[in-house]
Amino acid sequence: MEKHFIMNNRPIGIFDSGLGGLTAVMALRKLMPEENIVYFADSARVPYGSKSRAELLVMARQDLDFVASLSAKAVIAACGTVSSNAADILESYPLPVTGVLKPGIEAMARTPGSAPLGIIATAASIKSGVFRRELEKAAPGRQIVALPCPEFVPLIESGRTAPDDPALLQAVERALAPARAAGVSALLLGCTHYGIIRESIQAYMGNGVELVSAADCAAEESCRRLRSLGLTGGGGECRCYTSGPEEEFSAAASALLGFELHAEHVPPMKI
């Protein structure tokens, strides 16, 4: 019984290239407030969306190994770029790992009607073609508009997230104009960073367009898996680690999460 208790109290590991995965942290805390969470922001190597697939395969393994070293009982790969480029590594890892690709696609496939469906993600995610292929299989007959948004993550990481920020508004218009012109009925936020600028995206696309958060969907799927495996329990603690400047990340993360958080620095990993 004691071993079972200790196993359940181990944290859930969540990782991303920077601030984006904190959207998954927020979603999971709402669903499972009692769970302990360890979060790793690989800020020294952000953005992941500009990396090659070969680099991403190595980085995915490194990120998984790091959160696993923190005694994680399960992992959320809160990164659309990793989820779309390193699915085999996530699925074969010796811990329950939930990516953001499949849960987001499944939610999009449930969107009613026949109007086009949109996907926005990093350049590497869109280049992989995985998001498009999986949505075409899940929602046959629907037109798919898949758009890279390379400007979004750098803007978010630099703090340009206010809904009225001119640079952000211009970047949103440049990236999403084809989706609006196509008349999409739903838009998948395939990069977890994009949830941070959800208000700006919604304002541009209009209230009639449903925004589907891949981060929220991954948190819901992870919650279901943990409960089915009997791996629930903890004290509600949240610890953060970053490979970038810890003070800068701590301030941004605290503002986003709504409580004070002090990230610990870890040496940047080399590919």
Side-chain angles (χ1 to χ4, degrees):
M1 178 63 82
E2 182 180 352
K3 183 178 181 181
H4 184 66
F5 179 76
I6 293 172
M7 175 69 76
N8 287 1
N9 275 300
R10 288 165 56 193
I12 300 165
I14 302 178
F15 72 84
D16 182 40
S17 61
L19 292 167
L22 292 174
T23 56
V25 171
M26 291 188 288
L28 190 65
R29 283 173 63 86
K30 289 180 181 178
L31 294 167
M32 309 180 82
E34 75 284 358
E35 290 296 328
N36 295 321
I37 294 173
V38 288
Y39 181 76
F40 173 52
D42 192 14
S43 304
R45 300 192 291 193
V46 70
Y48 276 21
S50 62
K51 304 294 191 293
S52 69
R53 185 170 186 271
E55 290 174 312
L56 290 166
L57 293 175
V58 174
M59 293 160 67
R61 173 69 66 174
Q62 290 173 333
D63 293 343
L64 284 166
D65 287 347
F66 178 72
V67 294
S69 75
L70 301 172
S71 299
K73 62 187 175 187
V75 180
I76 297 178
C79 176
T81 305
V82 166
S83 298
S84 58
N85 283 272
D88 290 346
I89 290 177
L90 303 186
E91 291 171 3
S92 63
Y93 202 73
L95 280 176
V97 179
T98 303
V100 300
L101 172 64
K102 290 183 178 179
I105 292 297
E106 289 169 359
M108 286 289 285
R110 293 192 292 269
T111 303
S114 58
L117 299 174
I119 303 167
I120 56 173
T122 66
S125 290
I126 298 301
K127 183 180 179 181
S128 75
V130 177
F131 272 100
R132 175 185 286 277
R133 288 196 299 272
E134 290 300 314
L135 188 52
E136 286 175 342
K137 287 190 292 184
R142 301 287 289 269
Q143 179 187 344
I144 309 298
V145 180
L147 303 172
C149 303
E151 294 181 86
F152 287 5
V153 171
L155 283 168
I156 292 166
E157 289 288 330
S158 65
R160 305 293 295 268
T161 60
D164 59 350
D165 186 290
L168 177 61
L169 292 176
Q170 291 167 15
V172 167
E173 182 175 358
R174 280 192 292 269
L176 304 188
R180 193 163 81 168
V184 301
S185 61
L187 188 67
L188 176 62
L189 308 184
C191 170
T192 56
H193 275 79
Y194 300 171
I196 298 173
I197 58 169
R198 184 185 187 112
E199 186 176 345
S200 298
I201 293 172
Q202 190 76 75
Y204 179 74
M205 295 302 298
N207 291 330
V209 176
E210 179 184 357
L211 300 187
V212 176
S213 164
D216 290 354
C217 295
E220 291 165 5
E221 175 62 20
S222 184
C223 177
R224 286 192 291 269
R225 293 183 69 183
L226 287 164
R227 287 174 176 163
S228 68
L229 293 169
L231 290 177
T232 58
E237 297 180 356
C238 184
R239 291 181 289 140
C240 280
Y241 300 81
T242 180
S243 58
E246 61 267 39
E247 291 185 6
E248 180 179 314
F249 180 82
S250 297
S254 297
L256 189 60
L257 293 171
F259 60 86
E260 191 170 357
L261 183 140
H262 298 284
E264 297 181 38
H265 182 262
V266 295
M269 292 176 274
K270 296 180 180 179
I271 299 174

